[in-house]
Amino acid sequence: MKDVMPVLAWLLQEAETQPQVDDTWVKVVSGVLALILVAIIIIRRKRKKKGAEEEF
């Protein structure tokens, strides 16, 4: 068991030192899609309000 502990400690240190993945493009695309969805929701609500006002 004493021989296994240094190996486990070494493996844990190696697992922690992995380089960070650059996911900036994922964040940018997600933000753009979120803005588009919000814009579509706002436009559809305005159309429904405009259509309801014209009926009366």
Side-chain angles (χ1 to χ4, degrees):
M1 188 70 173
K2 290 181 181 179
D3 295 334
V4 176
M5 293 304 255
V7 173
L8 289 176
W10 177 77
L11 286 174
L12 288 173
Q13 288 176 352
E14 288 296 317
E16 292 176 359
T17 59
Q18 292 177 352
Q20 292 289 332
V21 177
D22 185 24
D23 60 349
T24 305
W25 68 273
V26 175
K27 293 177 184 176
V28 170
V29 170
S30 299
V32 169
L33 289 176
L35 286 174
I36 291 171
L37 288 174
V38 169
I40 290 171
I41 291 170
I42 291 172
I43 290 170
R44 292 184 83 190
R45 286 189 177 186
K46 284 186 178 181
R47 284 186 185 169
K48 285 184 180 179
K49 282 185 180 179
K50 190 182 260 187
E53 291 175 358
E54 290 177 359
E55 290 179 6
F56 295 111

